[in-house]
Amino acid sequence: MADRHGTPPDFADIAVAHWERERPDLDFTAMGTLARFARLHIAGSRRVEQVFAAYGLDRGEFDVLASLRRTGAPHEMPPSQLAEILLITRAGMTKRVDRLEARGLVSRRADPEDRRSLRIGLTPEGFALVDAAVTEHAANENRLLGLLTEDEARAFDATLRKLLAAVEGNPPLPEEPEQPGGQGEPRGRGERDHSRAKGRQGRIFRSRERPTTSERPT
């Protein structure tokens, strides 16, 4: 049976239909859309990572080289800045830089303005490798979005921007409605505990929505 758009049902339609049958009291409007988005991310990431693998890189290593390349000459920056850009810990950045340095793709040097600090820079070999990799990477991503018309691609981009801005902005939890009579009656202990638990759940949910490195454009 086709959906309202005239297309055959997919995995998300089937899952939503099952849930609607089992839990008709809940609203599953968003589930199918977000399930497709999640699967698109997984499938698209596999294709992207195949390009990096052809150049002997994983996604994290490419991100380091690409960040150094796209910032312009002299194609170097402190490791702390790299870690901040890529949303990883400094320890994680050190491991990536160690691997790339062992292959002669980046180098470490003392910061001339602060001898206690280091700067990570592209070597000529690293520059050549990331330039070749990003050439194929850009072509590959264009092929992935080539299934959309220009209008569809623009609308898709605008929608993602709107959702991402809302999610990364960590909007505050909705305020509880004021009790009748201004300040309202004092809440009991059980009600206060329930409110605190809701707040903790909200903070945990938002922390899980932070973008991973693989989700950031390079």
Side-chain angles (χ1 to χ4, degrees):
M1 181 177 65
D3 68 4
R4 61 187 179 87
H5 299 291
T7 57
D10 62 5
F11 75 99
D13 293 319
I14 294 171
V16 169
H18 288 169
W19 276 118
E20 288 177 338
R21 181 194 65 210
E22 298 297 318
R23 292 296 307 273
D25 56 311
L26 298 180
D27 181 5
F28 295 102
T29 303
M31 179 178 283
T33 300
L34 294 180
R36 293 183 187 94
F37 182 78
R39 183 167 290 196
L40 176 64
H41 169 66
I42 293 171
S45 293
R46 287 172 180 166
R47 296 192 181 190
V48 168
E49 288 161 4
Q50 287 174 353
V51 172
F52 300 150
Y55 291 89
L57 301 169
D58 62 27
R59 181 63 193 243
E61 293 166 344
F62 173 83
D63 285 346
V64 173
L65 298 178
S67 296
L68 293 170
R69 175 65 178 91
R70 65 182 170 83
T71 53
H75 306 295
E76 63 179 27
M77 66 180 70
S80 58
Q81 185 180 355
L82 268 173
E84 183 178 355
I85 289 173
L86 300 179
L87 296 177
I88 64 172
T89 64
R90 294 190 182 187
M93 177 56 62
T94 297
K95 292 179 181 179
R96 294 186 189 183
V97 171
D98 285 345
R99 295 196 301 267
L100 293 169
E101 186 178 33
R103 295 174 57 187
L105 301 176
V106 301
S107 62
R108 289 180 170 98
R109 73 178 183 90
D111 190 327
E113 298 180 0
D114 183 357
R115 304 295 294 182
R116 297 170 299 177
S117 301
L118 294 174
R119 296 185 70 84
I120 309 301
L122 285 176
T123 64
E125 293 79 8
F127 186 99
L129 182 67
V130 73
D131 255 22
V134 78
T135 299
E136 178 57 30
H137 177 46
N140 185 45
E141 290 192 318
N142 284 329
R143 285 194 296 270
L144 291 175
L145 283 186
L147 295 173
L148 303 179
T149 66
E150 290 187 9
D151 288 343
E152 288 172 336
R154 281 194 293 267
F156 184 52
D157 184 68
T159 301
L160 291 179
R161 285 174 183 270
K162 182 176 181 179
L163 287 173
L164 193 58
V167 172
E168 288 189 331
N170 285 337
L173 292 173
E175 295 183 3
E176 294 185 2
E178 187 174 323
Q179 297 292 328
Q183 297 298 321
E185 296 295 326
R187 293 184 298 174
R189 178 179 177 182
E191 188 178 355
R192 290 196 301 270
D193 290 346
H194 178 66
S195 178
R196 284 196 293 267
K198 287 178 62 179
R200 286 195 297 271
Q201 291 172 357
R203 290 193 294 273
I204 292 170
F205 177 75
R206 291 196 298 271
S207 69
R208 289 175 178 171
E209 290 176 327
R210 289 292 186 186
T212 62
T213 301
S214 64
E215 295 167 346
R216 293 182 59 82
T218 52

